Amino acid sequence: MIARRSPSELEKLHRSGLLVHQILQRLSGMVAVGVSTLDLEHEADRMMRDAGAKPAFKGYYSQAAGTKFPYVLCVSVNEEIVHGMPSQKKVFRAGDVVSLDTGVQLNGYFGDSAVTVALDPVTPETEKLLRVTRECLDRAIQQTVAGNRLADISGAVERHAVTEGFSVVREFVGHGIGTSLHEEPQVPNYVDRKNDNPRLKEGMVLAIEPMILAGRPESKVLKDKWTAVTKDGRNAAHFEHMVAVTNNGPWVLSRPA
Ligand code: MG
Ligand code: MG
């Protein structure tokens, strides 16, 4: 069952999405050589408290990990794809590719979004990886219209990434979002012919999150049970928006209009 949200519910999701947007904007501006990933965690935590929001990630139980995630923020650097854990020991260095992913719960409705930023000197490959991942998300958003099917979104991401010489990770996917962080349906970044391919209807809200790899598609999870990295050690990028299907086309809830 894919939930369909009323206009007033979409407004609440928009408020949650905008808070995540503000946090990610602030954290992106803090990413600099010598800053630790735990510094970003503290700032995100402070902003959530100030807004009266609850963190969506801290305490989130994953069956695969067998533990609850201990932080409000995921910071994934270079070959880390998603679910990197903040640490005081992890300090940004020149040339790092930094993915920031966070979520909140505000008035019972969830927000979830991610961005990737790069520190100078930015190599041509990194610049292309970030641009293509952003374009994958833009193309997927354009497909988030009533009457289309889920595979139109997945296919838009996969086709663009592969055409540009990159890979998509298959072990991690986007998701529906609303009164839970992760709802039906799963939103893969590849066309999944083994699962159903629901038609998109007004009021559905999807967290679309291309995770694009510079090299091979294989990933593995580190001993901390959470951090997903590329097997070949090459860089990854991750952008995410919450997108509502409306009669006026896609509505990106995790950024200002
Ligand atoms: Mg998400
Ligand atoms: Mg996210």
Side-chain angles (χ1 to χ4, degrees):
M1 248 299 274
I2 304 174
R4 296 173 67 182
R5 305 293 171 182
S6 68
S8 75
E9 288 184 290
L10 293 183
E11 286 296 341
K12 286 178 185 155
L13 285 164
H14 190 34
R15 277 198 283 279
S16 301
L18 287 178
L19 175 58
V20 174
H21 168 80
Q22 285 164 6
I23 294 168
L24 291 177
Q25 288 277 105
R26 168 89 185 121
L27 300 186
S28 299
M30 287 174 67
V31 173
V33 172
V35 171
S36 84
T37 58
L38 193 67
D39 295 333
L40 302 188
E41 162 77 13
H42 289 153
E43 181 65 7
D45 189 47
R46 186 193 64 76
M47 289 181 78
M48 287 179 201
R49 281 168 204 277
D50 286 356
K54 286 186 215 158
F57 294 4
K58 192 171 183 168
Y60 183 89
Y61 180 78
S62 151
Q63 206 142 29
T67 57
K68 290 178 178 174
F69 193 75
Y71 300 98
V72 307
L73 176 73
C74 295
V75 192
S76 307
V77 182
N78 297 332
E79 77 282 2
E80 296 174 355
I81 306 166
V82 285
H83 307 158
M85 294 212 221
S87 162
Q88 195 160 25
K89 288 185 206 145
K90 206 158 182 185
V91 173
F92 297 124
R93 292 176 299 186
D96 277 349
V97 177
V98 181
S99 298
L100 307 169
D101 186 1
T102 194
V104 301
Q105 185 190 1
L106 190 61
N107 303 315
Y109 287 80
F110 282 80
D112 184 11
S113 182
V115 294
T116 301
V117 296
L119 281 115
D120 287 329
V122 180
T123 64
E125 182 188 83
T126 294
E127 192 180 318
K128 182 180 170 188
L129 179 64
L130 267 58
R131 172 178 59 79
V132 169
T133 308
R134 225 183 279 114
E135 289 168 353
C136 284
L137 179 53
D138 289 341
R139 286 168 183 234
I141 291 168
Q142 285 169 29
Q143 295 298 321
T144 311
V145 292
N148 267 6
R149 287 185 182 274
L150 188 67
D152 293 313
I153 294 172
S154 304
V157 174
E158 182 177 37
R159 205 174 316 113
H160 189 51
V162 169
T163 300
E164 294 291 340
F166 296 141
S167 309
V168 301
V169 71
R170 299 173 83 92
E171 291 83 3
F172 303 94
V173 296
H175 48 95
I177 182 166
T179 49
S180 300
L181 176 63
H182 295 136
E183 299 185 351
E184 290 293 303
Q186 293 200 348
V187 184
N189 294 308
Y190 61 94
V191 176
D192 180 357
R193 292 176 209 289
K194 283 186 219 125
N195 261 310
D196 31 320
N197 182 19
R199 205 176 277 286
L200 305 179
K201 294 180 180 156
E202 190 193 1
M204 291 180 176
V205 182
L206 304 176
I208 303 170
E209 45 183 317
M211 298 155 230
I212 305 300
L213 315 184
R216 303 267 314 149
E218 291 80 17
S219 69
K220 62 179 180 186
V221 175
L222 297 182
K223 281 200 200 96
D224 65 19
K225 304 274 195 185
W226 285 95
T227 312
V229 300
T230 60
K231 268 194 185 167
D232 65 9
R234 292 181 67 185
N235 286 343
H238 179 206
F239 286 87
E240 175 179 18
H241 272 308
M242 308 155 62
V243 188
V245 179
T246 81
N247 277 345
N248 301 316
W251 180 15
V252 180
L253 300 172
S254 44
R255 71 181 175 209

mmCIF file of all heavy atoms in Angstrom, residues 57 101 112-113 173-175 181-182 207 209 238 240, ligand 1:
data_model
loop_
_atom_site.group_PDB
_atom_site.id
_atom_site.type_symbol
_atom_site.label_atom_id
_atom_site.label_comp_id
_atom_site.label_asym_id
_atom_site.label_seq_id
_atom_site.Cartn_x
_atom_site.Cartn_y
_atom_site.Cartn_z
ATOM 1 N N PHE A 57 17.090 9.832 12.123
ATOM 2 C CA PHE A 57 18.075 8.751 11.961
ATOM 3 C C PHE A 57 18.544 8.204 13.301
ATOM 4 O O PHE A 57 18.771 7.005 13.442
ATOM 5 C CB PHE A 57 19.311 9.243 11.179
ATOM 6 C CG PHE A 57 19.065 9.610 9.736
ATOM 7 C CD1 PHE A 57 17.789 9.588 9.174
ATOM 8 C CD2 PHE A 57 20.126 9.992 8.924
ATOM 9 C CE1 PHE A 57 17.575 9.927 7.842
ATOM 10 C CE2 PHE A 57 19.925 10.329 7.597
ATOM 11 C CZ PHE A 57 18.659 10.310 7.051
ATOM 12 N N ASP A 101 23.671 13.476 4.656
ATOM 13 C CA ASP A 101 22.312 12.940 4.567
ATOM 14 C C ASP A 101 21.710 13.032 5.960
ATOM 15 O O ASP A 101 22.289 12.531 6.926
ATOM 16 C CB ASP A 101 22.392 11.475 4.098
ATOM 17 C CG ASP A 101 21.028 10.850 3.838
ATOM 18 O OD1 ASP A 101 20.000 11.535 3.990
ATOM 19 O OD2 ASP A 101 21.015 9.654 3.480
ATOM 20 N N ASP A 112 13.614 14.153 4.719
ATOM 21 C CA ASP A 112 14.836 13.387 4.413
ATOM 22 C C ASP A 112 15.415 13.939 3.116
ATOM 23 O O ASP A 112 14.699 14.035 2.111
ATOM 24 C CB ASP A 112 14.453 11.906 4.245
ATOM 25 C CG ASP A 112 15.640 10.981 4.029
ATOM 26 O OD1 ASP A 112 16.796 11.412 4.212
ATOM 27 O OD2 ASP A 112 15.393 9.805 3.675
ATOM 28 N N SER A 113 16.682 14.330 3.158
ATOM 29 C CA SER A 113 17.318 14.856 1.952
ATOM 30 C C SER A 113 18.826 14.686 2.092
ATOM 31 O O SER A 113 19.332 14.493 3.203
ATOM 32 C CB SER A 113 16.956 16.337 1.774
ATOM 33 O OG SER A 113 17.494 16.878 0.600
ATOM 34 N N VAL A 173 18.413 1.922 -1.688
ATOM 35 C CA VAL A 173 17.375 2.467 -2.569
ATOM 36 C C VAL A 173 16.655 3.632 -1.886
ATOM 37 O O VAL A 173 16.732 3.798 -0.670
ATOM 38 C CB VAL A 173 16.344 1.367 -2.938
ATOM 39 C CG1 VAL A 173 17.007 0.254 -3.733
ATOM 40 C CG2 VAL A 173 15.662 0.799 -1.688
ATOM 41 N N GLY A 174 15.940 4.403 -2.680
ATOM 42 C CA GLY A 174 15.040 5.414 -2.142
ATOM 43 C C GLY A 174 13.762 4.763 -1.628
ATOM 44 O O GLY A 174 13.633 3.533 -1.615
ATOM 45 N N HIS A 175 12.786 5.608 -1.248
ATOM 46 C CA HIS A 175 11.646 5.079 -0.486
ATOM 47 C C HIS A 175 10.505 6.082 -0.455
ATOM 48 O O HIS A 175 10.726 7.289 -0.604
ATOM 49 C CB HIS A 175 12.112 4.801 0.950
ATOM 50 C CG HIS A 175 12.881 5.950 1.570
ATOM 51 N ND1 HIS A 175 12.276 6.892 2.351
ATOM 52 C CD2 HIS A 175 14.186 6.332 1.454
ATOM 53 C CE1 HIS A 175 13.190 7.793 2.726
ATOM 54 N NE2 HIS A 175 14.369 7.481 2.178
ATOM 55 N N LEU A 181 9.721 7.225 8.299
ATOM 56 C CA LEU A 181 10.869 7.611 7.469
ATOM 57 C C LEU A 181 10.897 6.792 6.189
ATOM 58 O O LEU A 181 11.118 7.330 5.100
ATOM 59 C CB LEU A 181 12.166 7.411 8.270
ATOM 60 C CG LEU A 181 13.471 7.685 7.529
ATOM 61 C CD1 LEU A 181 13.566 9.142 7.089
ATOM 62 C CD2 LEU A 181 14.678 7.313 8.400
ATOM 63 N N HIS A 182 10.714 5.489 6.326
ATOM 64 C CA HIS A 182 10.772 4.594 5.170
ATOM 65 C C HIS A 182 9.418 3.931 4.983
ATOM 66 O O HIS A 182 8.988 3.142 5.817
ATOM 67 C CB HIS A 182 11.864 3.525 5.358
ATOM 68 C CG HIS A 182 13.239 4.102 5.405
ATOM 69 N ND1 HIS A 182 14.186 3.708 6.323
ATOM 70 C CD2 HIS A 182 13.820 5.049 4.647
ATOM 71 C CE1 HIS A 182 15.304 4.405 6.123
ATOM 72 N NE2 HIS A 182 15.107 5.223 5.117
ATOM 73 N N ALA A 207 11.024 9.670 -1.590
ATOM 74 C CA ALA A 207 12.389 10.158 -1.380
ATOM 75 C C ALA A 207 13.248 9.488 -2.451
ATOM 76 O O ALA A 207 13.500 8.288 -2.392
ATOM 77 C CB ALA A 207 12.879 9.806 0.014
ATOM 78 N N GLU A 209 16.716 9.088 -4.334
ATOM 79 C CA GLU A 209 18.088 9.328 -3.896
ATOM 80 C C GLU A 209 19.128 8.570 -4.706
ATOM 81 O O GLU A 209 19.595 7.515 -4.281
ATOM 82 C CB GLU A 209 18.249 9.069 -2.403
ATOM 83 C CG GLU A 209 17.620 7.825 -1.834
ATOM 84 C CD GLU A 209 17.812 7.776 -0.318
ATOM 85 O OE1 GLU A 209 18.908 8.083 0.166
ATOM 86 O OE2 GLU A 209 16.858 7.404 0.392
ATOM 87 N N HIS A 238 25.901 11.292 -3.713
ATOM 88 C CA HIS A 238 24.528 11.003 -3.255
ATOM 89 C C HIS A 238 23.759 12.318 -3.143
ATOM 90 O O HIS A 238 24.186 13.217 -2.422
ATOM 91 C CB HIS A 238 24.615 10.311 -1.884
ATOM 92 C CG HIS A 238 23.312 9.958 -1.253
ATOM 93 N ND1 HIS A 238 23.160 9.830 0.104
ATOM 94 C CD2 HIS A 238 22.087 9.700 -1.785
ATOM 95 C CE1 HIS A 238 21.906 9.490 0.385
ATOM 96 N NE2 HIS A 238 21.234 9.414 -0.743
ATOM 97 N N GLU A 240 19.552 13.632 -2.678
ATOM 98 C CA GLU A 240 18.217 13.122 -2.365
ATOM 99 C C GLU A 240 17.235 14.272 -2.185
ATOM 100 O O GLU A 240 17.549 15.266 -1.531
ATOM 101 C CB GLU A 240 18.270 12.306 -1.061
ATOM 102 C CG GLU A 240 16.903 11.827 -0.562
ATOM 103 C CD GLU A 240 17.010 10.995 0.711
ATOM 104 O OE1 GLU A 240 18.037 11.062 1.398
ATOM 105 O OE2 GLU A 240 16.031 10.281 1.016
HETATM 106 MG MG MG B 1 16.237 8.542 2.241
#
